[in-house]
Amino acid sequence: MNLFEWLRPKAKAAPLSSEQERRLGQLHAFTSLGEHSLRQQRWVVVDLETTGLNMSRDQVLSIGAVVIEDGAIDLSQQFEQTLLRVDHKPGPAVLIHGLGPSAIAAGNEPVEALLDFMEFVGDSPLLAFHAPFDQHMLGRALKDSLGYRLQHAFLDVADIAPMLCPQANFRQAGLDDWTGFFGLHAEERHHASADAMVTAELALILFSHARRQQIDSPARLEQCLGQWRRRKQSHSF
C-alpha cells in the first residue's frame, strides 16, 4: 500500500434499507452479567477469520459461532457466514484460513451477515479465545457497516484457562496448547466454526473447574477475571 492509498478516506457504507433499519432497531441490548449459575447462562462462543492481524486495517471474512446453553453445546444453535468483500485481495492469511477469492465472492453482504449474527447473539455474552482481537474486529465491522456499537460482554477463554488451571504452567498458551492439555481433539483448525466448537468444548471444561472453585455465576467469573488480570499485571512490573 502506497502513501496515497493510506491517506485516501474510506468509502462510506451504503445507507441501510428500511428493512435493515428495522432489524437494527430490534437488536437486543446487553445489560450486565448476572448472579445466576453458569449453567443457566446462554453463551455465544465466536471465532472470526480475518484478512490479517492488523486491527486497524484488516477486515472480518468469516464468522463462526456455537451456543452453550443448559450446561452443554446446543448443536441446534450454530452460526456460520462468510462475508462478501468486493475489494479483497488475498494475502498470506489465505494460507491459514483457506478463504480464497471464490469463497469470498460467494459470501453474504456484510450488512446482512452482521445483522444475522447479532440477531443470533441476542442479549447473550460472548466467549472467544484471545477475545480482545475478536471483540475489536467485530466491533469495528459492526460500526463500519451498521453504525452499531457493540456493548456485549466478551470473556476471554485464553485468560479463564490459566486463571482456573495454573498448574498447567503455560506461557502465552494458544488454543492448541489448551486443547492438548485437556485431551480435546479438533477435527479442523483455523476455520471459524471449527475453532468456535473446540473453544466451546474447552469453555465447558473450564466452567466445571470454576464451579469447583466456587465461581458459579457469570458476574463472579467476570469479577475474578478482572482481579486475576490486575494481579498478573502488578507482578509484571
Side-chain angles (χ1 to χ4, degrees):
M1 178 179 290
N2 62 40
L3 178 61
F4 294 105
E5 289 175 319
W6 178 262
L7 295 175
R8 184 182 300 146
K10 292 182 180 179
K12 291 185 178 180
L16 302 184
S17 69
S18 58
E19 174 61 14
Q20 290 167 343
E21 289 281 7
R22 183 193 65 78
R23 293 174 65 192
L24 179 62
Q26 291 185 342
L27 292 181
H28 288 274
F30 181 80
T31 52
S32 59
L33 294 174
E35 298 291 347
H36 51 274
S37 73
L38 293 171
R39 182 179 292 273
Q40 290 176 302
Q41 178 65 60
R42 178 184 186 265
W43 303 88
V44 175
V45 187
V46 62
D47 185 83
L48 306 178
E49 298 299 340
T50 62
T51 56
L53 299 178
N54 188 306
M55 293 197 294
S56 298
R57 294 198 306 269
D58 283 308
Q59 294 179 308
V60 175
L61 292 180
S62 177
I63 305 173
V66 296
V67 167
I68 294 175
E69 195 163 25
D70 296 325
I73 297 171
D74 185 349
L75 296 178
S76 71
Q77 298 186 69
Q78 298 187 60
F79 184 94
E80 181 176 13
Q81 285 202 31
T82 298
L83 280 63
L84 171 67
R85 297 296 188 186
V86 293
D87 56 350
H88 173 57
K89 296 179 180 178
V94 72
L95 299 175
I96 299 174
H97 54 58
L99 292 169
S102 59
I104 301 302
N108 296 317
E109 289 288 344
V111 167
E112 291 293 325
L114 292 165
L115 282 170
D116 288 347
F117 179 64
M118 293 311 298
E119 288 169 345
F120 176 83
V121 171
D123 61 357
S124 300
L126 295 129
L127 291 169
F129 198 91
H130 292 150
F133 178 80
D134 295 81
Q135 183 177 18
H136 181 91
M137 294 298 287
L138 178 61
R140 187 162 63 82
L142 288 165
K143 182 180 179 182
D144 290 348
S145 293
L146 301 176
Y148 177 87
R149 183 183 175 194
L150 181 67
Q151 295 182 296
H152 290 58
F154 233 111
L155 273 63
D156 193 354
V157 178
D159 280 351
I160 296 173
M163 179 187 74
L164 296 175
C165 305
Q167 70 275 15
N169 201 29
F170 285 138
R171 284 181 176 271
Q172 304 297 324
L175 183 56
D176 290 331
D177 296 308
W178 285 108
T179 55
F181 180 78
F182 288 113
L184 298 173
H185 176 67
E187 293 292 335
E188 188 177 3
R189 282 284 280 110
H190 303 297
H191 181 280
S193 293
D195 284 356
M197 181 63 73
V198 75
T199 302
E201 293 171 357
L202 175 58
L204 284 176
I205 293 173
L206 294 172
F207 287 166
S208 178
H209 281 263
R211 286 190 290 270
R212 289 199 291 271
Q213 296 176 39
Q214 286 73 54
I215 304 172
D216 193 23
S217 75
R220 179 63 177 153
L221 180 60
E222 184 180 47
Q223 179 187 38
C224 289
L225 266 177
Q227 294 169 347
W228 178 83
R229 290 191 187 107
R230 286 191 290 274
R231 286 197 302 270
K232 184 179 176 183
Q233 188 174 26
S234 66
H235 291 160
S236 67
F237 290 111

